[in-house]
Amino acid sequence: MKPRVLVTRHVYPAAIAILQEHCIVDYHDSHDVLDEVRLQKRLQHAQGLVCQLTDPITANVIAAAPQLRVISQVAVGHDNIDVAAATARGVVVTNTPGVLTEATADLTWALLLAAARRLPAAEQFLRAGKWRRWEVDLLCGSDVSGRTLGIVGFGRIGRAVARRALGFGMRVLYASRTAAPPELEQELRAIHVPLDTLLRESDFVSLHVPLGSETRHLIGVAQLCQMKRSAFLINTARGPIVDEAALVAALEEGLLAGAALDVFEAEPAVHPGLLQLPNVVLLPHVGSAVTSVRSLMCALAAADCAAVLTGERPKHPVNPQVLG
Ligand code: DGY
């Protein structure tokens, strides 16, 4: 008999076609998010799960799915999944790295430039009919070229962000647990420094670490106080990496020049203080939102789910120890 797979939310059609070749698909073709109770009910007889970053794949949900063998996340981040609980049960967890690297790095740069050059404020000014004439000091922003970019986390996306900085002639600092290979540091002209140094010396600080217990509120009051008053904070990783209340206070007190955020602590809620501030750029978690990229992410998750259920090795296991 074919294995059963739950697809928790609407996906690009290629994913369903891939799954249907090998599995019976229970497709919740909706943008409505299934809560823990509904997930538990629908997973009772499932061997596979294709889920998204909005889905709470908790230890309770995993426990309620006795036949579950694979959880395939349509995203690279997987902080919504209790990977330890899955691993303890021998359930493979997969994600979709690689395909979204360039799109996310592009959006990081869009945010950096938008914040530095005050693009949202300038556009609102024009649309509001306030533009009367060219003025020498109208809507002036901050330099980007030649300034210092600090990249926190130097995985695929952090490195792709650094590569783009070469074109802007920037000095690039990065903070990460381990240094990148010397050839790569040389190619990207990136210097490995402690986080404190990066925060003190950077004009733009861009976050690219995964969310976990070590990185939750990695940027809080103490870190924000270390940044230059002229600096900008950019976050395209995960909201809870930044203490949002501390960020609002720092921006209100002028401790930072601005921020550009694609992710938030309690999405889709946005801290009301952020909505009031003119020097922040706010986007609704669209880092990888390019049609071709999202379609590939869906297909990749489906293919890895089907791979596990047909006895093949998945391409992107998060807990490879389960595969032996
Ligand atoms: C991810 O993949 O983790 C992004 O946040 C969504 O593309």
Side-chain angles (χ1 to χ4, degrees):
M1 193 155 107
K2 283 182 168 183
R4 290 181 72 87
V5 173
L6 171 66
V7 179
T8 59
R9 294 189 57 201
H10 178 73
V11 287
Y12 277 88
I16 301 299
I18 291 167
L19 289 168
Q20 277 171 340
E21 256 186 63
H22 309 279
C23 317
I24 297 165
V25 182
D26 173 12
Y27 184 19
H28 182 236
D29 187 8
S30 163
H31 287 300
D32 159 46
V33 177
L34 296 174
D35 61 15
E36 279 190 70
V37 174
R38 289 200 290 165
L39 281 169
Q40 286 175 351
K41 209 163 164 208
R42 285 184 74 157
L43 281 169
Q44 272 171 11
H45 305 291
Q47 282 91 50
L49 169 62
V50 174
C51 59
Q52 301 186 23
L53 56 85
T54 43
D55 301 328
I57 313 301
T58 60
N60 286 341
V61 168
I62 294 167
Q67 299 177 42
L68 196 63
R69 289 166 53 200
V70 55
I71 300 171
S72 291
Q73 165 96 331
V74 183
V76 64
H78 47 74
D79 45 278
N80 58 308
I81 302 171
D82 191 329
V83 177
T87 306
R89 259 275 310 283
V91 176
V92 183
V93 178
T94 72
N95 66 345
T96 61
V99 292
L100 48 77
T101 301
E102 304 305 329
T104 309
D106 288 346
L107 189 96
T108 302
W109 272 89
L111 279 174
L112 186 158
L113 290 163
R117 298 299 300 272
R118 305 177 58 195
L119 300 191
E123 207 211 15
Q124 278 164 25
F125 175 83
L126 181 150
R127 285 181 188 269
K130 293 182 181 166
W131 189 24
R132 297 282 169 262
R133 64 191 84 82
W134 187 90
E135 292 170 20
V136 75
D137 55 356
L138 179 64
L139 289 160
C140 289
S142 305
D143 285 315
V144 174
S145 294
R147 306 308 291 265
T148 298
L149 171 62
I151 299 176
V152 182
F154 213 53
R156 288 181 180 86
I157 299 172
R159 292 171 189 191
V161 169
R163 185 162 285 114
R164 284 153 177 74
L166 289 169
F168 287 83
M170 294 178 92
R171 173 176 176 241
V172 175
L173 307 177
Y174 73 96
S176 68
R177 260 187 311 207
T178 49
E183 321 76 74
L184 189 76
E185 286 191 336
Q186 216 172 2
E187 183 196 330
L188 299 178
R189 281 189 250 131
I191 305 163
H192 189 216
V193 293
L195 180 61
D196 288 357
T197 309
L198 181 148
L199 294 169
R200 275 197 310 270
E201 296 189 11
S202 297
D203 299 298
F204 300 92
V205 173
S206 190
L207 305 177
H208 301 285
V209 284
L211 174 62
S213 51
E214 285 169 27
T215 57
R216 189 172 293 275
H217 285 194
L218 178 69
I219 305 297
V221 179
Q223 292 70 30
L224 292 164
C225 288
Q226 286 179 293
M227 289 175 67
K228 296 181 185 180
R229 282 182 174 256
S230 56
F232 293 84
L233 179 71
I234 298 123
N235 190 5
T236 54
R238 282 293 182 270
I241 294 165
V242 177
D243 178 343
E244 227 165 63
L247 176 62
V248 170
L251 288 163
E252 284 172 351
E253 287 166 33
L255 298 182
L256 291 186
L261 309 171
D262 183 43
V263 288
F264 301 89
E265 270 202 86
E267 293 176 13
V270 176
H271 191 296
L274 288 173
L275 296 170
Q276 301 304 319
L277 287 162
N279 53 342
V280 293
V281 184
L282 306 169
L283 297 181
H285 202 148
V286 289
S288 64
V290 172
T291 308
S292 60
V293 172
R294 287 282 169 85
S295 178
L296 273 172
M297 288 163 66
C298 293
L300 206 56
D304 264 359
C305 181
V308 173
L309 296 177
T310 55
E312 303 289 321
R313 200 178 167 86
K315 282 206 176 106
H316 300 294
V318 166
N319 54 351
Q321 63 273 36
V322 168
L323 295 163

